[in-house]
Amino acid sequence: MEFQNYALYPHMTVGKNMAYPLKIAGVPKDEIERRVKETAGVLQLEEYLDRKPGNLSGGQRQRVAMGRALIRSPKVFLMDEPLSNLDAKLRVYMRTEIARIQQELGITTIYVTHDQGEAMTMGDRVVVLKDGELQQADAPANLYTAPGNMFVAGFIGSPAMNLFEGVVTEVEGALAVSIGPNSLDIPTSVVERHSELRNRVGDTIAVGIRPDDMYDAALNPQYPTRLRGTPLLLESLGSEIVTHLDLGVRPMDSTDPDVEELGDADGGAVVARFSPHSTVAKGQPIEISVDTQRLHFFDIASGNRI
């Protein structure tokens, strides 16, 4: 077990902290020394074996805590938010370190986290829980591309998926969905993946569009479906411009309370991720193209994917 607060013995050196589980198990001294050196090598802690935890950085202490668990050659690692006490840069570094060590050793690891980035980058299989109830257990990519319900859709992905109330319509056998003043044609291939949509004509459902699937139409003319909106706020991050838009329709509140708070902060704006080459400007109306191949549909009453 590896804890959030490391739980190291402050009066013991790094070497003795790592050796302690073997000592109380009655392992011979020469075997303990061999395994401490071996484990310290895996975790790149050899030069710190004679130091005490108080003289180490947060990342180094985290690796000592891992070493104390690792030295026992367990069948399963249990990690309880092990990186939450670290600063952002160190969290990213330790995330890759833990993933590297886990892959090298091949030990099954159950990792608890509130950080979806950790879950998506480190997990082979991710279990999403809400109030102790299973929402979806799947590969990280599937959680993102095919969320099982609105909670998972709103929780996985940053920025969160935009969710709207929409009415399913049909003209000459072709389906579309009306969202406020906008109408989005639903491609035949999408209807085939969501066959229940044909039974929902005239019904109000929840429609999801990820920020990644909305583009500055001036730069992405290949997507014919267009929306018109006005940028309210621009977050230029260098690699992208996170654009908060007024599309004339307010998104649905997310089922995740943290994301809902963020949505309310900018008046319920729709969020898109534009290329850094976009010339989008605050307050200047813009056309947004949408990749309708990647639309998501949910039943409003149950929240489940259609």
Side-chain angles (χ1 to χ4, degrees):
M1 178 76 178
E2 185 179 346
F3 299 94
Q4 176 178 336
N5 61 355
Y6 319 135
L8 299 175
Y9 302 112
H11 62 289
M12 293 184 182
T13 63
V14 167
K16 289 182 178 179
N17 262 282
M18 292 170 62
Y20 190 68
L22 301 183
K23 181 180 178 181
I24 61 174
V27 176
K29 187 175 181 179
D30 58 343
E31 174 67 6
I32 291 177
E33 289 180 359
R34 183 189 68 79
R35 286 167 66 174
V36 166
K37 288 181 180 178
E38 182 182 275
T39 304
V42 171
L43 295 167
Q44 299 173 8
L45 289 171
E46 300 102 313
E47 62 184 287
Y48 305 108
L49 289 175
D50 294 326
R51 296 190 190 181
K52 291 185 177 178
N55 296 320
L56 303 177
S57 69
Q60 290 163 348
R61 275 179 276 179
Q62 191 64 68
R63 279 184 280 165
V64 176
M66 285 186 67
R68 189 176 54 187
L70 176 61
I71 203 167
R72 299 177 62 188
S73 301
K75 293 182 179 179
V76 180
F77 276 136
L78 305 177
M79 296 193 179
D80 180 14
E81 299 192 69
L83 306 184
S84 60
N85 284 343
L86 306 180
D87 62 51
K89 184 176 181 180
L90 192 51
R91 272 203 307 272
V92 173
Y93 170 73
M94 284 305 300
R95 190 167 74 191
T96 59
E97 278 293 284
I98 291 175
R100 174 186 67 81
I101 292 164
Q102 196 276 334
Q103 289 170 11
E104 284 182 7
L105 300 175
I107 298 175
T108 298
T109 302
I110 299 175
Y111 189 107
V112 179
T113 179
H114 286 87
D115 185 330
Q116 58 167 289
E118 288 180 17
M120 296 289 281
T121 57
M122 298 173 69
D124 298 305
R125 189 169 180 82
V126 179
V127 177
V128 180
L129 299 172
K130 178 190 178 188
D131 299 330
E133 293 187 4
L134 175 67
Q135 302 297 306
Q136 188 172 352
D138 217 327
N142 290 340
L143 289 177
Y144 190 81
T145 59
N149 58 38
M150 287 199 290
F151 176 80
V152 177
F155 185 71
I156 299 295
S158 180
M161 181 186 290
N162 300 295
L163 292 167
F164 309 91
E165 285 190 2
V167 178
V168 181
T169 60
E170 182 177 15
V171 178
E172 298 181 354
L175 296 188
V177 60
S178 297
I179 301 173
N182 307 292
S183 180
L184 300 177
D185 294 330
I186 305 175
T188 302
S189 58
V190 175
V191 175
E192 289 173 354
R193 292 200 303 270
H194 302 268
S195 57
E196 177 64 20
L197 283 174
R198 291 207 173 275
N199 300 324
R200 297 297 188 102
V201 175
D203 291 353
T204 299
I205 63 172
V207 183
I209 308 175
R210 287 212 178 274
D212 313 61
D213 300 323
M214 302 174 72
Y215 307 89
D216 180 346
L219 298 179
N220 299 83
Q222 70 270 33
Y223 300 109
T225 299
R226 303 292 174 86
L227 305 173
R228 288 191 63 82
T230 302
L232 303 174
L233 175 68
L234 304 177
E235 297 176 277
S236 182
L237 304 179
S239 60
E240 64 186 7
I241 302 174
V242 178
T243 307
H244 300 248
L245 299 150
D246 178 5
L247 295 185
V249 58
R250 184 182 176 88
M252 297 174 64
D253 286 339
S254 168
T255 49
D256 176 57
D258 295 329
V259 177
E260 182 178 335
E261 255 181 50
L262 294 175
D264 289 345
D266 57 24
V270 177
V271 181
R273 299 173 75 169
F274 288 170
S275 161
H277 304 298
S278 171
T279 57
V280 59
K282 182 178 177 180
Q284 298 297 315
I286 187 174
E287 275 201 328
I288 302 104
S289 55
V290 179
D291 184 355
T292 51
Q293 292 285 345
R294 299 181 183 276
L295 293 175
H296 302 264
F297 306 97
F298 305 93
D299 179 80
I300 290 180
S302 67
N304 292 331
R305 182 179 181 84
I306 294 176

